Amino acid sequence: MPWTTVPKMERTPGVEPGSREITYREALNEALSQMLGIDERVFIMGEGVDDPGGVFGTTKGLPEKFGDARVFDTPLAENALTGIAMGAALAGMRPVLVHMRVDFLPISLDQIINHAAKWHYMFGGKVHVPMVIRAITGRGWGSAAQHSQSLQALFANIPGLKVVMPSTPYDAKGLLMAAVADGNPVIFLEHRWLYEAAGHVPEEPYLVPIGKGEIRRKGKDATIVGVSHMAREAVAAAELLANEGIDSEVIDLRAVRPMDSPLVIESVRKTGRLVVADTGWKLCGIGAELVARVAEEALGELKAPPLRINIPDVPTPSSPVLEEAYYPGKDDIAAGVRQLLGK
Amino acid sequence: MSNKIPKETLVGLYETMLRIRMFEEKVVELYPAQEMKTPVHLYIGQEAIAAGVCLNLVKDDYLLSNHRGHGHCIAKGTDMGVMMAEFYGKAGGCSGGKGGSMHLVDPENSIPGNSAIVGGGIPMAVGAALASQIKGLKSVAVTFFGDGAVDEGVFHESMSFASLKKLPVVFVCENNLYATNSHITARHPTGDIAGSAGAYGVPGVCVDGNDPEAVYECSKEAVERARKGTGPSLIEARTYRWKGHVGPDADFEKGCRPEEELREWMEKCPVKRFRERLLTSGVMSAEEMDGLRSAVAEEVDKAVSFSDKSPWPDTAELTRGLYYEGGGK
Ligand SMILES: Cc1ncc(C[n+]2csc(CCOP(=O)(O)OP(=O)(O)O)c2C)c(N)n1
């Protein structure tokens, strides 16, 4: 189906020949499968997790393997289910609640913001809420304003939550396993266009620390920070720029709360220039926060005003011509870097 | 054949169902070209419900619908051309190409917009009914939603408030047994949706959703109750969708449901069954049927050519229209 078609992606460059490569969707599936195997407190619930499609393939095979007491379909009751997951977490379980689209999470905001995020702090550390909420950021095929949102900044604003946005298969697996093991409510945001991305993923279970960014490319002329799908676009932009003799450093933020601003600030101290590419909106967004933190700590090191690449400050339109104009990509990032360098 | 329903209403029911069916069959035909770049949630198989309910409505009665809203809008009188153009993302579409197939709007016909968030339209219908009551108008509000929406808290909250305030609203649940691919037995303890109305002091009826006369009659009663100020009603209309949750293919092909089940329901095709009843009872002749079919085919073709001729939206439209700028008007 066109609306579920995911663009093919190139293999990860620089991976040793012979090492195992799997896709982002397979990496997520493997992480869930291994967590279910390792920790009997883990269970997965959500609308359609037992579908033949298996939530873009990420839950495929799990109900058969672990039984429908641990992997099961639910009613469409997002807020209640969040509270139910939270109650189970308080009672010693490790639920993973799955949403086909992040756009359905606003219904759950009461349980997420007023309850899950607050519980550990509000009760003086006596209790905690180990739960993961997986949600998919949609994009493409005219899905419009209620089916393509990027709501990371909304969640990033709430103390008590962790907000993770992996862009590679390696991180998808390691961060999901870390999220389940974390012990706090973690919002785990997947981008639909990444599901087909292939890359090196070790077979054994491993954790990627939540809140640590990763340098994808070393460079000295400018720092490009990418979030989720935009981290890949940032790498592609850096390749374009390299052909023109511009040497950019690319940081994949990987999580927006906690936000690895120290890594970004360190890089900016070296390059003096900052471009932040986010899949979400600009106002009060991830870029706004990063730019502010850089300004607070390294204003004097900046050789040019920082720049943010975002979607326009409007909801997603449906028409293909408007949708095409809506999403920035590698060319916009490259243009931004050239602008900072006065080229 | 019911003798309570006047002949022109019976013809109207058939015509409405046929218009919905033929419009959607055109969408099925055009969709594989991949030029209609919007997810389509087809209504084929459920036509008797939209027709049966909406024939009881007047222009000023509100309609709030969902992601599967093509049939509801057609039945309420929305022009097929602006719908088709919206599917194609054209400037002439009812939402100017910004909404796509899930976000149809027709304020002229008191359709203030369809939501693609399951259950999203239900409280809005209650609100429209509240406005009607406050203003002392006779307008009724109708909301269509699926059995999946009954899972949502907002359904129950809305029913409770509507009953409390005796609001002129008709809740129409189109129970097609599935939400995406989840069967109702995976989501609801009893499957008795009409029965849940009792908890809120609202009358609830369960009706054969493939029988336009039955739907017409029970919704007539519900609309009259609402108009008289007696309060809300819930209609559960049992039916089946033939196509996938989204898109023009059938779900059994993906292993999401038994093919046998689809075949059984196709036997109960609301359009075919009603056509036969109208013919055997002499309400319409075969010639009249043929005439109607060609008139509708022409209307559908016109909708397609309207869409074809409509320009693309100017890309400057992308950042326009975030806020209403008409002030206090
Ligand atoms: C709040 C919310 N949760 C989940 C979805 C995804 N979704 C879209 S339609 C649908 C199924 C709806 O089923 P139902 O209400 O029975 O209507 P039907 O499609 O059967 O007409 C789901 C789960 C959504 N759009 N909104």
Side-chain angles (χ1 to χ4, degrees):
Chain A
M1 287 295 158
W3 52 88
T4 52
T5 309
V6 176
K8 289 274 173 220
M9 291 244 168
E10 74 291 357
R11 306 242 135 187
T12 323
V15 173
E16 281 171 37
S19 68
R20 188 181 71 138
E21 285 197 31
I22 58 173
T23 61
Y24 189 90
R25 80 168 87 230
E26 289 162 342
L28 291 167
N29 186 279
E30 188 167 281
L32 293 171
S33 182
Q34 290 181 349
M35 282 318 283
L36 284 161
I38 294 166
D39 187 341
E40 61 192 19
R41 297 169 301 172
V42 176
F43 69 96
I44 301 172
M45 63 176 178
E47 212 269 330
V49 296
D50 62 350
D51 254 20
V55 190
F56 295 96
T58 62
T59 58
K60 232 181 176 133
L62 301 180
E64 293 78 4
K65 201 160 156 199
F66 295 98
D68 60 9
R70 296 186 69 200
V71 184
F72 55 91
D73 193 18
T74 59
L76 315 189
E78 291 80 3
N79 196 36
L81 283 162
T82 308
I84 290 163
M86 178 175 164
L90 289 170
M93 299 299 283
R94 302 238 152 189
V96 178
L97 178 60
V98 186
H99 297 271
M100 285 291 280
R101 283 193 164 77
V102 74
D103 311 69
F104 312 146
L105 283 184
I107 297 174
S108 326
L109 288 185
D110 169 54
Q111 284 296 328
I112 296 175
I113 297 177
N114 292 329
H115 296 86
K118 304 294 189 288
W119 234 240
H120 180 63
Y121 183 86
M122 192 164 75
F123 296 107
K126 293 250 169 72
V127 286
H128 68 125
V129 183
M131 65 188 276
V132 179
I133 300 175
R134 285 180 55 204
I136 296 154
T137 299
R139 172 168 165 175
W141 208 262
S143 298
Q146 295 178 329
H147 276 66
S148 322
Q149 298 178 77
S150 291
L151 298 175
Q152 58 267 27
L154 180 73
F155 297 111
N157 193 237
I158 308 299
L161 298 179
K162 294 189 178 182
V163 186
V164 176
M165 303 183 78
S167 81
T168 65
Y170 181 92
D171 287 348
K173 176 172 172 181
L175 282 168
L176 184 51
M177 298 198 84
V180 176
D182 191 86
N184 286 290
V186 180
I187 311 285
F188 193 90
L189 300 172
E190 300 155 28
H191 193 288
R192 192 165 105 200
W193 280 26
L194 294 170
Y195 282 127
E196 274 298 304
H200 171 59
V201 176
E203 260 165 81
E204 65 278 8
Y206 60 94
L207 306 180
V208 168
I210 294 175
K212 288 269 169 267
E214 177 80 1
I215 298 175
R216 298 277 178 227
R217 185 187 191 281
K218 288 233 171 259
K220 58 175 177 22
D221 296 332
T223 302
I224 311 174
V225 180
V227 174
S228 182
H229 183 252
M230 288 304 261
R232 293 186 76 95
E233 294 291 316
V235 171
E239 281 160 16
L240 289 178
L241 293 164
N243 295 334
E244 303 160 23
I246 300 172
D247 184 22
S248 345
E249 181 141 307
V250 178
I251 294 176
D252 182 345
L253 209 52
R254 304 203 292 190
V256 296
R257 183 180 195 110
M259 191 182 283
D260 195 356
S261 46
L263 185 68
V264 175
I265 291 164
E266 194 186 304
S267 172
V268 171
R269 285 191 199 283
K270 185 170 68 174
T271 64
R273 297 178 185 87
L274 174 65
V275 172
V276 185
D278 181 22
T279 56
W281 291 292
K282 188 179 261 184
L283 189 100
C284 301
I286 305 307
E289 181 61 30
L290 264 181
V291 167
R293 291 189 189 192
V294 167
E296 281 166 352
E297 293 194 30
L299 186 63
E301 322 255 354
L302 285 169
K303 297 178 195 150
L307 198 139
R308 289 173 283 164
I309 311 272
N310 297 82
I311 50 171
D313 194 16
V314 289
T316 319
S318 165
S319 176
V321 291
L322 299 180
E323 202 178 46
E324 170 72 24
Y326 190 67
Y327 292 107
K330 60 179 192 285
D331 295 328
D332 304 275
I333 299 172
V337 172
R338 283 185 210 110
Q339 183 191 320
L340 294 196
L341 284 152
K343 291 191 178 162
Chain B
M1 186 109 294
S2 157
N3 41 23
K4 274 190 282 171
I5 303 179
K7 184 181 165 191
E8 59 278 13
T9 307
L10 292 172
V11 174
L13 284 171
Y14 182 68
E15 181 179 351
T16 306
M17 286 198 289
L18 197 63
R19 290 176 69 237
I20 299 171
R21 173 67 59 94
M22 290 175 71
F23 177 82
E24 293 224 312
E25 280 174 343
K26 183 57 88 177
V27 173
V28 171
E29 177 192 322
L30 297 173
Y31 206 72
Q34 302 212 359
E35 277 162 18
M36 198 186 287
K37 292 187 171 59
T38 189
V40 286
H41 300 75
L42 297 167
Y43 193 66
I44 293 177
Q46 306 189 187
E47 297 88 344
I49 306 171
V53 172
C54 292
L55 251 70
N56 287 294
L57 304 180
V58 297
K59 207 171 165 204
D60 290 341
D61 290 331
Y62 286 98
L63 168 67
L64 274 300
S65 146
N66 60 358
H67 59 284
R68 201 173 301 288
H70 313 166
H72 309 140
C73 292
I74 290 177
K76 184 81 181 16
T78 301
D79 176 74
M80 289 181 189
V82 299
M83 286 175 56
M84 194 62 92
E86 187 58 37
F87 295 8
Y88 276 97
K90 296 297 189 76
C94 57
S95 305
K98 284 178 169 163
S101 83
M102 297 189 285
H103 302 295
L104 302 174
V105 69
D106 187 2
E108 298 269 285
N109 272 314
S110 312
I111 304 177
N114 297 353
S115 172
I117 298 298
V118 171
I122 300 174
M124 291 187 238
V126 174
L130 177 67
S132 174
Q133 187 189 65
I134 292 171
K135 291 196 215 165
L137 301 176
K138 285 281 163 221
S139 293
V140 164
V142 171
T143 177
F144 288 95
F145 50 90
D147 46 292
V150 174
D151 302 355
E152 297 282 358
V154 74
F155 164 76
H156 302 274
E157 295 167 23
S158 301
M159 286 271 286
S160 177
F161 183 81
S163 178
L164 182 73
K165 300 280 183 193
K166 288 201 167 15
L167 296 177
V169 57
V170 181
F171 298 89
V172 183
C173 175
E174 302 184 275
N175 182 356
N176 60 17
L177 306 177
Y178 289 90
T180 315
N181 299 320
S182 298
H183 194 263
I184 185 142
T185 50
R187 294 177 291 103
H188 199 282
T190 65
D192 175 17
I193 292 169
S196 65
Y200 307 106
V202 171
V205 291
C206 184
V207 66
D208 176 355
N210 283 24
D211 179 348
E213 291 170 85
V215 176
Y216 176 80
E217 281 181 343
C218 76
S219 46
K220 186 173 166 54
E221 214 171 286
V223 169
E224 275 167 9
R225 266 177 58 79
R227 236 187 271 291
K228 277 201 310 243
T230 322
S233 314
L234 170 67
I235 296 170
E236 176 192 356
R238 296 243 169 126
T239 186
Y240 199 77
R241 90 175 129 72
W242 292 10
K243 299 291 175 183
H245 164 66
V246 56
D249 306 324
D251 263 347
F252 71 85
E253 293 160 4
K254 288 171 273 164
C256 301
R257 53 172 79 183
E259 180 172 1
E260 199 41 35
E261 189 180 87
L262 171 64
R263 300 286 158 222
E264 277 166 29
W265 278 93
M266 284 177 83
E267 286 300 305
K268 297 185 240 174
C269 171
V271 181
K272 190 177 107 218
R273 274 205 324 196
F274 196 47
R275 178 190 153 90
E276 281 158 13
R277 273 152 74 184
L278 291 177
L279 280 172
T280 49
S281 63
V283 174
M284 284 182 89
S285 68
E287 295 74 54
E288 283 172 314
M289 292 271 181
D290 292 344
L292 191 58
R293 181 167 275 277
S294 20
V296 174
E298 199 176 310
E299 185 188 3
V300 172
D301 288 342
K302 271 202 193 128
V304 177
S305 60
F306 172 83
S307 169
D308 285 348
K309 285 195 213 100
S310 175
W312 292 109
D314 188 323
T315 47
E317 268 306 311
L318 180 62
T319 50
R320 275 193 211 133
L322 183 60
Y323 295 108
Y324 172 64
E325 282 168 4
K329 265 192 291 164

